[in-house]
Amino acid sequence: MRLATLKSETPDGRLAVIAPGGEAFAWAPVATLQQALENWTEVAPQLAQITSFPEALEPEQLCAPLPRAWQWLDGSAFPSHGDLMERLLDVQPLRTGLPYMYQGVSDRFYGPHDDVRFNDEALGIDFEGEFGVIVDHVPMGTTAAEAMDHIKLIVQINDWSLRMLAGQEMKTGFGWVQAKPHCSMAPFAVTPDELGDQWRNGRICVDLLIDWNGRRFGAANGEPMSYGLHELVAHAARTRDLVAGSIIGSGTVSNANYREVGSSCIAEHRAIETLDQGKPQTEFMRFGDRVRMEAKTADGRAPFGAIEQKVVEA
Amino acid sequence: MRLATLKSETPDGRLAVIAPGGEAFAWAPVATLQQALENWTEVAPQLAQITSFPEALEPEQLCAPLPRAWQWLDGSAFPSHGDLMERLLDVQPLRTGLPYMYQGVSDRFYGPHDDVRFNDEALGIDFEGEFGVIVDHVPMGTTAAEAMDHIKLIVQINDWSLRMLAGQEMKTGFGWVQAKPHCSMAPFAVTPDELGDQWRNGRICVDLLIDWNGRRFGAANGEPMSYGLHELVAHAARTRDLVAGSIIGSGTVSNANYREVGSSCIAEHRAIETLDQGKPQTEFMRFGDRVRMEAKTADGRAPFGAIEQKVVEA
């Protein structure tokens, strides 16, 4: 089952169930995805029963599937990304044996075709391709094994980052605020079964294809996470209940063979350039730049649809 | 004007305007404080016109004035607190010349008399007395001077902390997730004019009286912040719009003469003990412990009312 949210007069938009081909939809029997997640046991079977999709889908109607959330907690679970970023930023985060995670801004997620507003090109505008899961209510103290059942939907995210601010905020120990403005989401939130055996062990084992201004920049696979998303959910819930509709992120998708598959953010690519050539060669994004992100399964499907956005001056 | 939210069948409760004496209220013409903040220019004058308070206020009816918020960004603007915590945690956060700030969990704030649930007494349960401001919509790039006008309400907060987790999370650079579960709020959100000249330069210049199990623990004044709350709002809004109803916190209230006035959290007191006696003497909270927090003006008023809570096992 694939769900989308279409623009309406409210910030939460209106929930739609998407036809298998992705070209049509039916309105859901509940107004918003947040409402569905708050009553998932009851609502999900109603959504799954829908087999007639009378409405044509216009891409510009799309919001993020969850246009705002009460909580967005982003991990950093791809070790090759962490290693490269530590070298670039000259930081040595404490190895706690636990996942890394920060809390990000969640009052708005950009839709997949919205222009993305920044007020200063000099801040090092960067994309970060990643995956996330949306949970129903997760009680405090839920284990990783139990957390698996709370993962109701999977989404594809661009965690926009401002690199000139990220290093210094990390060095305060307080985490990122200015360096992490609002994120974007791909069109469709999908139930785990949509990924078949490419959802395994809490990993989203598909390739994340990233094109920057029409040129392929990365095609890393989502599998090699140090912690599965169920473990990240359990980490988040260790000392708090997670309200239904909380989103937990994987961190930037990255593979150890980054020289072959490329990267899911510019900063990582700059770190590789620094290793190879002594300093970064690639500049960050400029106003007018475009980025496209589309996850592809082994059999060529794009379950989440594509993010296609332009960076603009606020 | 003082506003409160009373428990109802929804998580957002129902908005009330409080009588000058604090013992009675009138229902507001809008349902929730969030709605009021989204239309503050229109709604605030309607609230201010109310002069008849027909309902008796029962303390156990009280939610947090804003029971959940789309965003909670907490600063750390009292230098004597920062200095002591750095010694205790053995951390040296980068001095960026900018305020320190992390994003905290905001999907729920405990009401002033709710029991506070933790699942492990060994995690170092601690209170943190502080102040916060609630803003209307603040556009990205708003200056500190402009931010002053966006501060619509002032609140008193207990930012519950788990100290055994806080040091290691800070050392990851990602900020606090597990160490910062849900916060509590005192009964009343007040407009700045309620504080008279004790709201000045973005500082809440009142004493925050803290009693732990009936014994006075702290009486620090809110004035000596390195940055005013308007500057913290501008910091938060540098690269993002702040949605109406965002809450920005001062960080733990602390004064340089902490040996005289005491502390607003146990950790700070333990840092002083470490300086004086080589190691901490005071243990953290136990299940069944109580904490009371009440800010007092120079003329003896308690504009926010009091937080009076018990720590319980989840």
Side-chain angles (χ1 to χ4, degrees), chain A residues 101-102 173-176, chain B residues 102 166 169-170 172-178:
Chain A
M101 186 172 281
Y102 78 96
F174 282 61
W176 299 286
Chain B
Y102 78 96
E169 285 196 327
M170 188 171 183
T172 67
F174 281 61
W176 300 286
V177 175
Q178 294 183 339

Side-chain angles (χ1 to χ4, degrees), chain A residues 94, chain B residues 82-93 167-168 170-171 271 274:
Chain A
L94 182 72
Chain B
D83 293 347
L84 286 167
M85 293 303 288
E86 288 167 24
R87 295 199 206 189
L88 186 70
L89 295 174
D90 188 26
V91 292
Q92 289 169 331
Q168 67 182 27
M170 188 171 183
K171 288 173 186 170
T274 303

Side-chain angles (χ1 to χ4, degrees), chain A:
Chain A
M1 183 163 64
R2 298 198 293 168
L3 303 174
T5 293
L6 302 184
K7 291 177 181 171
S8 76
E9 65 290 350
T10 80
D12 297 304
R14 194 167 160 208
L15 184 61
V17 184
I18 301 299
E23 75 299 336
F25 71 90
W27 293 114
V30 292
T32 70
L33 184 54
Q34 179 64 37
Q35 287 175 291
L37 288 159
E38 289 169 4
N39 300 288
W40 192 252
T41 309
E42 211 173 296
V43 174
Q46 296 173 30
L47 302 177
Q49 273 172 15
I50 293 172
T51 53
S52 165
F53 304 94
E55 315 281 345
L57 184 63
E58 309 287 346
E60 60 274 19
Q61 293 178 305
L62 291 160
C63 301
L66 194 59
R68 55 181 180 174
W70 289 110
Q71 185 164 232
W72 155 237
L73 290 164
D74 196 11
S76 180
F78 288 89
S80 52
H81 176 72
D83 293 347
L84 287 167
M85 293 303 288
E86 288 166 26
R87 295 197 206 189
L88 187 70
L89 295 174
D90 188 26
V91 291
Q92 289 170 330
L94 182 72
R95 312 284 181 184
T96 62
L98 299 171
Y100 295 130
M101 186 172 281
Y102 78 96
Q103 180 145 4
V105 60
S106 63
D107 68 275
R108 181 185 174 194
F109 287 82
Y110 285 106
H113 305 292
D114 294 342
D115 287 345
V116 181
R117 300 162 58 243
F118 297 100
N119 56 9
D120 187 353
E121 221 175 19
L123 294 180
I125 300 168
D126 198 0
F127 46 83
E128 273 197 358
E130 56 179 271
F131 297 107
V133 293
I134 308 181
V135 295
D136 66 355
H137 172 77
V138 180
M140 173 162 53
T142 292
T143 65
E146 294 164 345
M148 198 63 95
D149 282 340
H150 291 286
I151 295 175
K152 299 308 182 190
L153 293 168
I154 302 173
V155 291
Q156 181 196 312
I157 293 170
N158 181 357
D159 177 31
W160 290 101
S161 298
L162 297 169
R163 298 299 179 188
M164 296 305 152
L165 302 170
Q168 66 182 30
E169 285 196 326
M170 189 172 183
K171 288 173 187 171
T172 67
F174 282 61
W176 299 286
V177 175
Q178 293 183 338
K180 293 285 186 180
H182 296 97
C183 302
S184 306
M185 264 190 232
F188 309 131
V190 311
T191 47
D193 61 284
E194 287 282 334
L195 299 181
D197 65 1
Q198 289 171 81
W199 166 247
R200 57 177 179 267
N201 200 17
R203 275 80 169 171
I204 296 144
C205 308
V206 300
D207 290 339
L208 183 55
L209 308 183
I210 298 182
D211 299 304
W212 176 17
N213 290 334
R215 282 185 64 173
R216 177 62 37 91
F217 191 81
N221 189 279
E223 181 155 24
M225 297 173 70
S226 303
Y227 302 92
L229 281 149
H230 58 307
E231 293 169 295
L232 298 183
V233 171
H235 179 83
R238 181 175 176 199
T239 62
R240 63 175 72 171
D241 292 337
L242 304 184
V243 69
S246 293
I247 309 173
I248 311 295
S250 67
T252 308
V253 175
S254 178
N255 295 169
N257 61 338
Y258 39 73
R259 286 191 175 79
E260 293 149 46
V261 299
S263 295
S264 302
C265 68
I266 302 171
E268 188 181 298
H269 188 73
R270 286 166 57 94
I272 298 164
E273 290 174 336
T274 303
L275 287 179
D276 291 351
Q277 301 167 62
K279 61 176 187 171
Q281 309 293 322
T282 306
E283 299 300 320
F284 291 109
M285 297 183 88
R286 312 300 295 258
F287 295 140
D289 277 13
R290 292 172 182 275
V291 65
R292 185 176 197 278
M293 296 188 175
E294 185 180 43
K296 278 269 173 82
T297 60
D299 58 346
R301 289 177 300 120
F304 309 102
I307 296 176
E308 293 190 89
Q309 290 184 302
K310 187 170 71 172
V311 163
V312 301
E313 186 166 10

